[in-house]
Amino acid sequence: MRILKNLSKDKLAMLSLTIIVVTIIVGIFAPLFAPHDPNEVNMSLRYASPSWAYLLGNDHLGRCILSRIIYGIRPSVLWVLVVLCISVLIGAILGFIAGYFRGKVDTIIMRICDTMLSFPGYVMALAVIGILGVGLENILIAFALIKWAWFARVIRTSVMQYAELDYVKFSKASGISGIKIICKHIVPVTFSDITVISSGAIGAMILQISGFSFLGLGIQAPNAEWGMMLNEAREVMFTRPELMLAPGLAIVIVVSAFNFLSDSLQVALDPKLVNSKNKHIENLPLSKIKIQEKEVAN
């Protein structure tokens, strides 16, 4: 509730959250929202202009672009969220273990992370795709194998900051097991950090999976995916540029919403940032506040 209360003060954050929630709902219930079958071929409607029946027109096979945009939410956003949750879960478990217990366990986990992070993400993903073959499933597997190391290192750093606090040391001295201390004391205070880095990473992952699909390495035809739709419209990008507009705008809007929400969450979840922001506004003279409001409005 406190998070929503803090977010409600930021109009851009609420707009971003609304876009994300609506996108997820539409993606989950795509058959209810899509006006047509996204894979239905109708050559008589090839490159047809927008109409009441087909609000965004038709592609090179006469398929409904709006329906394909709606169904494209699933691989472009929903499956990326699933992989993100898996990567964060693996990274969090290893990050908590390494940051709290330290010693040899920390050394082994961090050496594995260093090995995984020593290669560029795209290179590792291409290597995995080269071994397993092209396809959305293999890209998602590649992301899960690569991203966890980055989350583990970031979460470990956050855990180390709280593991040395007095109440944690007191819990250790009281004989409470390390697992209970992590679950009761460490997880709640690091939750905000995990939420922020997760929401910030989702935008990059959406761009990456769209990029792989654009290159033909992701989801295969006839399934709909935003990056693949851009690839299909590339051949007529000069004669029919509007075919690239819908999937391109979908990627830009969703990625921007996640990025803006990530920035707002960082403020909403950190009481220090909220208080400093409020104090800054309270200390400003009324005339300056009005001037700033006018500048923002303009």
Side-chain angles (χ1 to χ4, degrees), residues 2-21:
R2 180 180 62 85
I3 298 174
L4 289 176
K5 183 178 179 181
N6 293 334
L7 284 178
S8 63
K9 300 176 183 179
D10 190 341
K11 294 182 179 179
L12 184 58
M14 293 305 298
L15 176 61
S16 300
L17 182 61
T18 302
I19 292 173
I20 293 170
V21 172

Side-chain angles (χ1 to χ4, degrees), residues 203-234:
M205 293 178 68
I206 292 174
L207 288 175
Q208 289 174 356
I209 197 169
S210 298
F212 281 121
S213 296
F214 179 79
L215 296 174
L217 301 175
I219 192 169
Q220 300 299 302
N223 298 309
E225 198 276 333
W226 294 345
M228 191 181 68
M229 292 178 67
L230 287 173
N231 185 26
E232 292 174 343
R234 182 180 56 180

